[in-house]
Amino acid sequence: MKEICIAVTGINATDNPGPGCGIIRSLRYNPDFRGRIIGLAYDAMDPGNFLSDHVNASYIIPYPSQGIEVLLSAIKEIHRNDPIDVLIPSLDAELLNFIKIQSELSRMGIRTFLPGEEGFKMRSKNVLAEFCKSNGITVPSTHCIYSIEDIYHLNMNYPLYIKGLFYDAYLVHSYTEASNAFGILCARWGLPLLAQEYIPGEEFDIVALGDGRGETIGAVPMKKMSLTEKKKAWAGITIENPVLIEMTKKIVKSLCWRGPLEVEIIANLESQKYYLIEINPRFPAWCFLAPGAGQNLPEALVRMALEEDILPFEGYQVGKLFVRYSCEVLADLKDIEQLLIQGKLINQAPKGKTS
Amino acid sequence: MVFDRLKQIAISDTGFIFNPLNGDMFQVNSTGLFLLEKCKQEQSVENILDALVEEFDVEKIEAEKDLDIFFKQLMMHGLLEKEQKNY
């Protein structure tokens, strides 16, 4: 890969991490990687800002709620000082904004590899059931809820999930619990929320990459081995289950998905029933497992953004394990000062830096 | 017994077992390892029982009980199915 500058968002690497640091580590996993990687952060305290072994520089960008004009202006300013070749957005809440400005970014010479607005909206949690029905994919019964009254009138059995449109889900066992969950999620993420049927079974997650023409460039399925309190994967292992790959390929084909995605499936292996739970329109935080198993999907995305011809990956290593760990990163007062005052931090000579 | 699912699992000679279908991991002792190898060879239950008696020098009635418990554990973990008979 020629020497390029790649900007990555979602470098909030807490116990509920964004995907950014996993994407960056994947890119640097290739020993031949040459170039700069810059982090685009929403908060000065995002840990990725201080990972000087991985990130050449990081810049603070405005929150998605500030709109596309403010975002575009911030990216322009960063691009003027630190020219970006490829930008990889990685958070659900920001993606629509980046999709809307992708043409403008392209005119500035910043390549992205994002889904179209229509495909992005079709996999949204509140219309997922409709999409699945028309494409022969089994999905748990799901209803949009706009008020506590809607919960009262739900024609569903408990337990069930109350979910935020972008993040978070609570398993609730009664109307009272559901009302409490409604209050918490509504305050945190706004409306609508979703009520989803509880499906007993094992959860599997698949990281994949679509080429935008219906082809799946790669797909790696994973079973979570240990979870955080927020039910996020703290360890996982690649598995071999052809049904999961076929379902993922079907989704990519149906949506003509362009870019990365994470597919969440609940399976009852005894009855061989598979239910699609969610399609997340971005790399998952555990995406570093994919290059470890032989499919460097973030690198493939960069190559596709640069309009290189990419052949689909064939196979991956089954039984490849990842285990997360928490680690203290040291920084100086001047680092946090730079981030807070200037909105940027230039790090010293990370790996792969050649200039 | 239907041993098809056992054919897919990875068994190391240390007794470590990985089911690639769902990521489950198990550990078996040397007796379990012996039985799993026989199952993977698709031997009949009667043959497996005879082999168990011969290899470990146990009474057939004891071996039968142990084998039954072992098969139940395999079924519990989704590694073994009872043969479906069509009448």
Side-chain angles (χ1 to χ4, degrees):
Chain A
M1 192 184 284
K2 74 180 178 80
E3 197 171 311
I4 55 170
C5 177
I6 304 168
V8 181
T9 70
I11 56 172
N12 49 322
T14 60
D15 63 336
N16 181 13
C21 291
I23 294 169
I24 293 169
R25 294 186 70 208
S26 300
L27 296 171
R28 293 204 184 277
Y29 191 66
N30 180 349
D32 295 330
F33 176 80
R34 295 288 177 272
R36 286 170 58 73
I37 296 182
I38 63 175
L40 303 178
Y42 290 103
D43 194 295
M45 291 306 288
D46 281 352
N49 291 327
F50 307 101
L51 296 180
S52 56
D53 280 354
H54 291 83
V55 179
N56 295 77
S58 40
Y59 297 87
I60 304 293
I61 57 170
Y63 279 106
S65 56
Q66 290 183 257
I68 57 173
E69 292 304 323
V70 181
L71 174 65
L72 197 54
S73 159
I75 301 286
K76 271 181 186 167
E77 180 61 19
I78 294 165
H79 186 56
R80 199 167 57 81
N81 295 308
D82 206 344
I84 300 166
D85 293 294
V86 178
L87 195 157
I88 310 177
S90 68
L91 298 173
D92 298 43
E94 69 185 7
L95 271 165
L96 196 53
N97 283 351
F98 277 103
I99 288 169
K100 284 178 176 167
I101 65 167
Q102 62 181 318
S103 305
E104 185 64 29
L105 292 175
S106 175
R107 278 192 285 277
M108 290 157 57
I110 302 175
R111 318 288 185 94
T112 54
F113 201 74
L114 295 167
E117 198 169 333
E118 193 186 343
F120 178 81
K121 285 179 176 167
M122 270 168 75
R123 45 68 29 207
S124 179
K125 288 182 196 176
N126 54 338
V127 292
L128 184 65
E130 207 174 302
F131 160 76
C132 289
K133 199 188 277 181
S134 53
N135 286 282
I137 297 166
T138 314
V139 66
S141 168
T142 308
H143 299 277
C144 273
I145 46 177
Y146 295 88
S147 67
I148 290 185
E149 231 183 12
D150 287 347
I151 297 175
Y152 185 77
H153 291 111
L154 273 176
N155 189 19
M156 293 172 79
N157 292 327
Y158 288 95
L160 53 83
Y161 279 104
I162 302 289
K163 294 178 144 186
L165 194 55
F166 289 126
Y167 306 101
D168 276 356
Y170 287 90
L171 182 65
V172 297
H173 297 81
S174 64
Y175 170 72
T176 312
E177 281 183 23
S179 304
N180 287 341
F182 180 91
I184 295 166
L185 290 171
C186 183
R188 200 173 292 160
W189 303 113
L191 293 171
L193 302 181
L194 302 160
Q196 190 171 71
E197 179 189 3
Y198 166 73
I199 302 289
E202 295 183 71
E203 182 185 330
F204 301 101
D205 302 286
I206 303 101
V207 56
L209 180 62
D211 72 351
R213 297 188 292 269
E215 182 85 43
T216 300
I217 295 300
V220 179
M222 179 274 286
K223 166 80 179 289
K224 292 175 185 174
M225 305 275 296
S226 72
L227 302 172
T228 66
E229 280 183 1
K230 289 179 180 170
K231 309 287 181 207
K232 301 293 169 186
W234 197 255
I237 193 163
T238 54
I239 56 164
E240 185 177 31
N241 185 329
V243 180
L244 300 175
I245 301 289
E246 282 314 308
M247 276 182 83
T248 303
K249 285 183 173 175
K250 193 173 185 179
I251 290 162
V252 169
K253 194 170 185 181
S254 307
L255 291 168
C256 273
W257 191 262
R258 188 172 188 265
L261 71 160
E262 180 193 26
V263 178
E264 295 181 11
I265 291 169
I266 298 264
N268 184 325
L269 296 179
E270 207 52 48
S271 64
Q272 286 291 302
K273 280 191 176 165
Y274 290 76
Y275 296 83
L276 175 66
I277 302 297
E278 274 181 35
I279 303 170
N280 294 317
R282 37 115 186 119
F283 282 120
W286 56 271
C287 65
F288 182 56
L289 181 63
Q295 295 194 6
N296 198 332
L297 300 177
E299 184 189 85
L301 178 141
V302 170
R303 289 182 183 279
M304 289 198 293
L306 294 169
E307 293 173 19
E308 290 181 27
D309 286 330
I310 292 287
L311 289 173
F313 287 100
E314 285 179 13
Y316 55 88
Q317 187 185 341
V318 176
K320 193 74 178 180
L321 181 83
F322 82 86
V323 183
R324 270 193 196 134
Y325 72 108
S326 46
C327 173
E328 292 74 27
V329 179
L330 302 177
D332 291 319
L333 193 58
K334 66 176 174 48
D335 297 333
I336 194 78
E337 181 190 341
Q338 272 194 61
L339 281 163
L340 288 172
I341 304 300
Q342 299 169 34
K344 68 177 179 183
L345 176 62
I346 310 298
N347 286 317
Q348 300 298 313
K351 283 191 293 182
K353 185 181 176 185
T354 58
S355 55
Chain B
M1 290 296 165
V2 181
F3 299 129
D4 285 0
R5 289 187 192 170
L6 281 174
K7 283 189 213 158
Q8 298 166 349
I9 67 172
I11 306 174
S12 91
D13 52 14
T14 60
F16 176 77
I17 296 164
F18 174 65
N19 182 356
L21 199 66
N22 63 1
D24 282 351
M25 293 176 195
F26 311 96
Q27 197 177 355
V28 292
N29 61 15
S30 55
T31 316
L33 196 57
F34 175 83
L35 291 173
L36 283 175
E37 290 301 342
K38 298 290 172 199
C39 293
K40 281 190 91 169
Q41 291 163 12
E42 286 196 273
Q43 295 197 13
S44 69
V45 175
E46 196 56 39
N47 280 352
I48 295 171
L49 184 62
D50 289 343
L52 186 63
V53 170
E54 195 183 315
E55 181 74 16
F56 295 96
D57 194 20
V58 286
E59 294 292 326
K60 194 165 183 177
I61 193 156
E62 279 302 311
E64 207 167 358
K65 266 196 262 175
D66 290 346
L67 191 60
D68 186 51
I69 292 170
F70 187 65
F71 280 165
K72 278 183 179 149
Q73 285 181 330
L74 292 180
M75 275 191 268
M76 197 172 75
H77 292 293
L79 296 172
L80 198 61
E81 290 172 284
K82 263 195 175 158
E83 209 154 357
Q84 298 289 319
K85 288 185 177 158
N86 297 317
Y87 295 100

